[in-house]
Amino acid sequence: MSNSKRRPATEAELQEMVAEADTGARIPAGSIGILLTAVAVAWSSFQVWYASPLPFIFGVFILNDTEARAIHLGFAVFLAFTAYPAFKRSPRDYIPVADWVMALLGAAAASYLFTQYGALATRPGQPTALDLATSAIGILLLLEATRRCLGPPMVIVALFFIAFTFAGPYMPEVIQHKGASLTKFLQHQWLTTEGVFGVALGVSTSFVFLFVLFGSLLEKAGGGNYMMQISVALLGHLRGGPAKVAVVSSALNGVVSGSSVSNVVSGGIFTIPMMKRTGLSGVKAGAIETASSVNGQIMPPVMGAAAFLMTEYVGLPYSEIVKHAALPAIISYIALFYIVDLEAVKIGSKPLMRSARHTRMQRWIRLGLGWSGSIAVMCGIYYGILAIQAVFGASASWVVAIAGIALYFGTLAYGARYPDLKLDDPDAPITELPEAWAVARTGLHFILPIVVLLWCLMVEELSPGLSAFWATATIMGITVTQRPIIAFFRRQGLASATRLGISDLVDGFAMGARNMIGIGIATATAGIIVGTVTLTGMGLMMTDFVEFISGGNVIIMLLFTALICLILGMGIPTTANYILVATLMAPVIVELGAQSGLAIPLIAVHLFVFYFGIMADVTPPVGLASFAAAAISGEDPIKTAIQGSVYSLRTAILPFVFIFNPQILMIDIGNWLEALLVVCASTLAILLFSAATMNWFLTKSRLWESAVLLLVCFALFRPGYFMDMLYDPYEHRPGKELFDIAGNIPEGGRLLLRVEGMNLEGDDITKTVSLPLGAPGEGRARINAAGAGIVPMGNDMQVGAIRFGSAAKRVGLESGYTVTEVLLPADRPSKHLVYLPALALLGLITLLQLRRRKQA
């Protein structure tokens, strides 16, 4: 690529980029355009119906999981061929005949499990010629749809796995297998739920669509602009304010966004020009937007919909997934905020001007009232709902709904007294920042659907699908009614406002469906990879392969796994990305880590592979988010990607911390005081890492000072490393005490076991496994509940049957192994004492740099 300065992309070109990446660049005019919109709206309507309790209330159109997945993929394939042109030069304003043919054939093949469900159920394992022909056509058209929606990378990965299925006998010994016939391949991949129609497509059908639709409706209703404007109002006055706006607004967008590219474009079109206006270079402006937008994919509660996939792969409740993922995501954003501040210091950036209508004291008073008022309102809502539930019992839901509607009308009545928010013009000079409350009061009602979503997920602990339904139903109501209600309070025309509200809902439904095309296709194609793994036993081969490359060294194993995750994640959406890395690489870390004596919690392993899969959106050569940011800034994409990768180093170190110190995931925390200590130490550690990589702490750092900062960072992130040199971290108890110890483990705790046995290749293996235990009870019963049958054999404890899909199976416990030891935390000085010498070193660097800065 040329290094010359580029022309920044126009808004139309940026929307074209988003369309090519997320929604499809073909928008036909006339009746064909109306037809495509109708199909997209029908898809969204079907998904809302399927997720809702209405089918069971009315007893109509009740579908099982397999039938729903078939319909879901049928819609996705049809829209993939009609909305995505085949090539760059293919027509955008009409649909060629060939695309119509492929769309109809693909939709028929994809929905075959729905239309022929009864017939297929009568002859399991005995496919007819029509079954096999449909499967072959379906897989070929799915690959073509993948090429159109996602580009070549995902197709190349899928083709590699298909080739691997048939080439097994000819592969090197370390990854050799017996292969499969064409009939077995087609049946396994298309006519069962082991391949294309497996768990990945099931999650897309049940959860992901509703969250994407929720985000699309929130954006259509004006929620995206509201989040951007409130970020500007709150942060614009700070040093490097526009860059800090990019960080916070991207975090807010990441709550509901499932795409790094759309997150970059929706926020970057405003923040990148603003950053450049304050003196930041175009490359750094684009890189900051890229780093913050990609980080939105690791931000709970949605995490690019990967949070809901993790519930399936890890076997933890959704609320636990969010609890574990929250601290790393938050401190990563805090570190990026700090990096932005350091960049502003380097260039001497001046903050944007606040309004002169208020004195400094008045601004502080308003700020205090704003924060305290917000906290009071949140507490009022939380405890108010709990009080209603306590008083009204079974009728509480109706009372809460009525109170919510009243609150909605109240916020709109108040906001209607003030002008609507206007879209920021990124090319216009900023003469004065808006007042935070002046912005906040115009969109208070946008908080309601997010409160509904979080309440259903975190407090009521409803299923993700049902939680998404109630949140989507709430934003649907807001989208339709906000315009006419505001018009009523302003005494304006109700008829036109009502028509606009209905139009917004239809557009939101259509946009939600088009945003889902690529995700639906990607999860189906990811099913081919998952199906190959189950058909060929590739998971075990990957373990052997990585062990062969790493030579048994844990750090090399983790680095190599991270590299593979980066490669697998190139050009692939978040959801499909996680499916790939979780299927292929998570079991590798679990197994090899256990053989190396590391008792790694399963959630730590899955977050490790997830983080590095997401990093592919930043890193060259296929960093899609970096390319989108470069199109806005007019800078070189590769330079933007490299700079974005430097900024993202702070996120890249966190997965290694998960593995060696799971406390950062709020695991093995003794009490609230220890939790506070871990939070503070982790936050300080990542700030010091950022300072070291930026070569700037309080002033420009010398090389040895940056090295000391990295040493302090390491001590804060992994204090156990130094304490383990002095004291054994575990008390080793004989295996025969297993049941007694298991009975005393607290609820939600981990049982660490040292096991020995022989693997399938006849090699003697010693592993350390971390078995999570649930509710308190008798030790043997708790272990059985985790999926492991333990049989006493004299002084030994033999591992019996392992239940498929259980926690014991996921952590690598295998039938036939012997429990030789149970590991308990040793009675030794707290590892957190290591913080004291680390902080002393930090104090020394602080004093030296303060003196040097004063002299300068």
Side-chain angles (χ1 to χ4, degrees):
M1 294 206 179
S2 170
N3 292 333
S4 60
K5 195 80 171 178
R6 298 159 185 262
R7 174 184 62 82
T10 65
E11 185 171 352
E13 290 170 337
L14 291 172
Q15 295 308 320
E16 176 79 6
M17 178 182 295
V18 174
E20 289 179 355
D22 292 332
T23 64
R26 181 183 284 149
I27 306 177
S31 58
I32 299 301
I34 294 172
L35 174 64
L36 289 192
T37 299
V39 172
V41 172
W43 189 13
S44 291
S45 302
F46 161 73
Q47 295 290 163
V48 172
W49 172 269
Y50 175 66
S52 75
L54 297 177
F56 303 97
I57 292 173
F58 296 108
V60 178
F61 200 42
I62 299 175
L63 301 170
N64 62 38
D65 290 345
T66 305
E67 292 172 316
R69 293 172 191 179
I71 296 173
H72 178 85
L73 185 58
F75 274 115
V77 171
F78 180 86
L79 288 172
F81 285 108
T82 51
Y84 284 82
F87 304 103
K88 290 282 186 183
R89 296 181 179 178
S90 298
R92 265 48 172 180
D93 54 349
Y94 72 91
I95 302 173
V97 174
D99 285 1
W100 277 116
V101 172
M102 286 188 283
L104 293 172
L105 278 176
S111 57
Y112 191 72
L113 284 183
F114 169 69
T115 58
Q116 302 297 316
Y117 186 78
L120 289 169
T122 62
R123 44 183 167 80
Q126 298 175 318
T128 64
L130 179 61
D131 294 341
L132 296 175
T134 302
S135 302
I137 292 170
I139 289 175
L140 290 173
L141 290 177
L142 176 61
L143 292 174
E144 168 58 14
T146 304
R147 184 192 67 80
R148 294 186 182 208
C149 297
L150 307 169
M154 185 95 179
V155 179
I156 293 170
V157 172
L159 288 174
F160 170 81
F161 280 85
I162 291 172
F164 181 81
T165 303
F166 299 110
Y170 314 104
M171 302 299 286
E173 184 177 352
V174 71
I175 54 174
Q176 195 174 83
H177 63 97
K178 67 179 182 179
S181 66
L182 180 61
T183 297
K184 187 175 183 180
F185 167 77
L186 293 174
Q187 181 184 349
H188 186 84
Q189 294 286 10
W190 201 264
L191 300 178
T192 72
T193 55
E194 294 292 326
V196 170
F197 296 94
V199 172
L201 189 63
V203 172
S204 178
T205 306
S206 302
F207 312 147
V208 178
F209 192 106
L210 266 291
F211 281 96
V212 171
L213 180 60
F214 176 83
S216 297
L217 289 170
L218 188 62
E219 179 69 31
K220 190 65 184 177
N225 180 51
Y226 177 72
M227 291 176 182
M228 171 62 68
Q229 300 274 22
I230 198 72
S231 300
V232 172
L234 288 171
L235 303 169
H237 69 287
L238 300 176
R239 182 172 56 198
K244 291 172 180 173
V245 168
V247 173
V248 173
S249 62
S250 294
L252 294 174
N253 274 334
V255 169
V256 294
S257 172
S259 167
S260 300
V261 175
S262 64
N263 203 350
V264 166
V265 173
S266 61
I269 194 172
F270 302 111
T271 58
I272 290 175
M274 285 170 59
M275 285 187 262
K276 291 172 71 176
R277 278 181 279 172
T278 60
L280 209 60
S281 71
V283 168
K284 289 185 176 181
I288 288 169
E289 179 60 46
T290 298
S292 56
S293 294
V294 171
N295 256 54
Q297 303 300 286
I298 66 172
M299 176 62 73
V302 176
M303 296 166 63
F308 310 106
L309 284 160
M310 284 184 192
T311 63
E312 302 288 330
Y313 281 100
V314 181
L316 289 176
Y318 170 81
S319 57
E320 288 292 306
I321 299 289
V322 169
K323 182 187 82 172
H324 296 316
L327 178 60
I330 292 169
I331 65 173
S332 183
Y333 264 114
I334 291 173
L336 184 57
F337 205 83
Y338 177 58
I339 286 172
V340 163
D341 191 70
L342 292 179
E343 290 286 15
V345 170
K346 288 181 180 181
I347 64 173
S349 174
K350 300 297 182 184
L352 301 176
M353 295 299 294
R354 270 195 181 279
S355 168
R357 287 174 293 177
H358 303 290
T359 64
R360 182 185 294 271
M361 179 60 70
Q362 289 173 326
R363 285 199 292 269
W364 277 106
I365 292 173
R366 291 168 68 89
L367 180 65
L369 290 174
W371 281 107
S372 59
S374 300
I375 294 170
V377 168
M378 288 188 287
C379 291
I381 292 173
Y382 177 76
Y383 289 108
I385 295 176
L386 291 181
I388 291 172
Q389 289 177 326
V391 173
F392 293 96
S395 303
S397 298
W398 292 102
V399 178
V400 170
I402 293 170
I405 292 171
L407 183 62
Y408 171 56
F409 273 84
T411 56
L412 285 181
Y414 181 71
R417 295 159 53 185
Y418 304 98
D420 292 334
L421 284 181
K422 294 181 180 179
L423 288 173
D424 177 59
D425 180 0
D427 298 319
I430 302 175
T431 57
E432 187 178 279
L433 285 174
E435 290 286 348
W437 178 242
V439 175
R441 66 194 176 195
T442 63
L444 294 173
H445 58 289
F446 290 130
I447 300 172
L448 290 174
I450 298 175
V451 170
V452 170
L453 175 63
L454 296 178
W455 183 272
C456 291
L457 285 171
M458 305 297 293
V459 181
E460 297 293 338
E461 294 191 354
L462 300 180
S463 70
L466 196 55
S467 301
F469 166 74
W470 288 118
T472 303
T474 304
I475 192 61
M476 284 167 58
I478 290 175
T479 304
V480 171
T481 61
Q482 65 171 348
R483 289 182 184 271
I485 293 174
I486 290 173
F488 170 78
F489 286 120
R490 290 177 177 172
R491 293 178 173 81
Q492 297 172 344
L494 280 177
S496 60
T498 302
R499 284 194 298 271
L500 284 173
I502 295 172
S503 176
D504 285 345
L505 180 64
V506 172
D507 290 346
F509 264 44
M511 186 56 63
R514 290 188 70 129
N515 280 330
M516 265 303 299
I517 299 171
I519 297 174
I521 295 295
T523 51
T525 307
I528 295 177
I529 287 95
V530 176
T532 301
V533 172
T534 58
L535 184 61
T536 64
M538 190 180 187
L540 293 175
M541 299 173 208
M542 285 299 297
T543 301
D544 293 340
F545 179 66
V546 173
E547 184 179 26
F548 173 75
I549 294 294
S550 65
N553 184 285
V554 174
I555 297 298
I556 295 176
M557 179 267 289
L558 291 174
L559 289 171
F560 186 64
T561 303
L563 177 62
I564 294 176
C565 291
L566 279 172
I567 294 170
L568 289 174
M570 286 182 181
I572 298 176
T574 302
T575 312
N577 186 329
Y578 172 65
I579 294 165
L580 288 182
V581 296
T583 303
L584 286 174
M585 303 314 301
V588 174
I589 298 178
V590 170
E591 182 63 25
L592 295 183
Q595 292 181 22
S596 301
L598 284 176
I600 309 172
L602 196 58
I603 182 63
V605 173
H606 280 259
L607 285 173
F608 181 97
V609 297
F610 175 58
Y611 269 51
F612 279 107
I614 293 301
M615 287 294 109
D617 278 348
V618 181
T619 52
V622 194
L624 295 181
S626 297
F627 278 61
I632 300 172
S633 65
E635 299 291 343
D636 183 82
I638 298 299
K639 287 183 177 179
T640 302
I642 292 171
Q643 185 65 56
S645 300
V646 172
Y647 290 151
S648 296
L649 285 174
R650 81 208 184 283
T651 306
I653 65 160
L654 290 175
F656 291 94
V657 181
F658 303 160
I659 300 298
F660 294 105
N661 182 19
Q663 281 195 322
I664 193 176
L665 301 178
M666 296 290 105
I667 295 173
D668 296 336
I669 299 290
N671 50 55
W672 68 267
L673 187 60
E674 186 176 22
L676 181 62
L677 200 60
V678 169
V679 169
C680 294
S682 300
T683 305
L684 179 58
I686 201 165
L687 293 176
L688 294 177
F689 180 85
S690 302
T693 54
M694 294 288 291
N695 201 34
W696 192 289
F697 181 40
L698 300 178
T699 186
K700 184 176 176 60
S701 297
R702 296 185 173 124
L703 189 61
W704 70 269
E705 290 175 330
S706 293
V708 172
L709 290 178
L710 288 175
L711 176 62
V712 174
C713 165
F714 180 81
L716 294 175
F717 265 144
R718 199 189 168 194
Y721 176 83
F722 299 99
M723 192 60 71
D724 292 349
M725 293 179 178
L726 303 175
Y727 301 93
D728 191 327
Y730 299 117
E731 178 186 345
H732 301 260
R733 305 281 285 274
K736 63 183 181 181
E737 298 181 20
L738 172 62
F739 293 150
D740 293 334
I741 294 172
N744 294 322
I745 298 288
E747 182 175 4
R750 296 189 297 148
L751 184 63
L752 302 186
L753 306 175
R754 186 73 52 81
V755 297
E756 294 178 354
M758 185 178 294
N759 64 11
L760 294 175
E761 288 76 30
D763 299 323
D764 291 325
I765 299 294
T766 299
K767 297 199 293 188
T768 303
V769 298
S770 170
L771 184 65
L773 298 180
E778 191 269 328
R780 187 168 192 166
R782 297 184 76 187
I783 295 173
N784 281 332
I790 303 293
V791 183
M793 303 283 288
N795 287 329
D796 295 330
M797 304 296 277
Q798 193 83 16
V799 181
I802 300 295
R803 192 167 64 249
F804 180 77
S806 65
K809 183 68 174 177
R810 291 187 179 101
V811 300
L813 204 57
E814 297 181 46
S815 179
Y817 277 53
T818 301
V819 179
T820 58
E821 287 183 330
V822 183
L823 306 180
L824 293 176
D827 184 15
R828 64 175 188 172
S830 172
K831 65 181 180 181
H832 301 301
L833 291 174
V834 173
Y835 296 159
L836 296 177
L839 292 176
L841 269 178
L842 177 61
L844 175 63
I845 299 297
T846 302
L847 288 174
L848 291 173
Q849 292 211 359
L850 280 174
R851 181 184 302 171
R852 197 159 68 246
R853 189 173 72 176
K854 186 177 180 181
Q855 291 172 348

